[in-house]
Amino acid sequence: GRIDFAASSFSGADDDRSLHRLTPVSHLVAGRGADDSECVHEFYGVSLVPARVGKPARLAICQDGAECDADGAVNDSCTFALGFCLGVVDARFPTCTASPVDAFELLAARPASAALTAAAAEVQASAPLGVPACFFSDGITVPLRITASAARKPGRGVVKVRATAGAPAPRRDSDVVRLVCQPPAS
């Protein structure tokens, strides 16, 4: 078989020396826009699941301390290791042709995340991007909600981005990922 994947760096010169998961292109998270612009930007590092049986997959759900929690600790929060992939050829969107990405914006990160802000700034500083590229971040930490009675309730977060590719015709791709941190199993 063949593996298509994108990596942040292989040269070693600018490598941040972080451990990255091999993520097949088919596991990148696209938005729900037009198929001809979905390859402009896709998230990597999370998987979407339905909120309820029979509903479309729209949430990245993680349990505090589970494998999906990047900090690996039961500490009343989940760290979602989230990255940005731009201009990747994705077979799920055959009408989307990869083209140089001219602009990238982090529109929202709730709760605030210095790591995502830094990754978005790196993307912006690298634009225009003429080749497929992925940018890793240490992610976004979503705390559990702790009630007055010390009960742990799911915490929620959201990340919104917009990328613009200029050639052959200008295309915008706005994507949102909703994050849910679940308390550990009792």
Side-chain angles (χ1 to χ4, degrees):
R2 182 178 150 201
I3 299 174
D4 289 327
F5 68 95
S8 63
S9 171
F10 284 111
S11 70
D14 296 318
D15 199 340
D16 63 5
R17 308 267 191 259
S18 297
L19 180 63
H20 301 274
R21 289 184 179 176
L22 176 62
T23 302
V25 170
S26 63
H27 288 112
L28 295 176
V29 174
R32 294 191 329 254
D35 281 359
D36 66 346
S37 66
E38 283 305 319
C39 67
V40 176
H41 169 268
E42 296 179 75
F43 290 107
Y44 87 97
V46 295
S47 297
L48 299 185
V49 297
R52 287 175 286 177
V53 176
K55 297 292 182 183
R58 293 199 174 134
L59 301 172
I61 299 175
C62 184
Q63 189 175 58
D64 184 17
E67 184 179 330
C68 54
D69 184 358
D71 67 17
V74 176
N75 58 356
D76 295 333
S77 67
C78 301
T79 300
F80 293 85
L82 194 61
F84 312 115
C85 289
L86 299 114
V88 175
V89 176
D90 191 328
R92 296 173 297 170
F93 308 107
T95 60
C96 189
T97 55
S99 57
V101 175
D102 299 323
F104 181 83
E105 298 172 82
L106 177 63
L107 301 174
R110 290 187 302 269
S113 168
L116 280 181
T117 300
E122 184 180 353
V123 175
Q124 291 166 341
S126 300
L129 296 166
V131 296
C134 288
F135 294 81
F136 180 76
S137 84
D138 288 334
I140 181 168
T141 300
V142 177
L144 294 172
R145 289 184 307 119
I146 311 233
T147 66
S149 64
R152 284 157 173 70
K153 301 287 185 182
R156 298 187 181 274
V158 66
V159 177
K160 296 178 184 180
V161 301
R162 180 173 46 225
T164 305
R171 295 175 291 155
R172 278 195 171 159
D173 184 14
S174 296
D175 294 323
V176 177
V177 65
R178 298 186 190 292
L179 311 166
V180 179
C181 179
Q182 299 277 7
S186 300

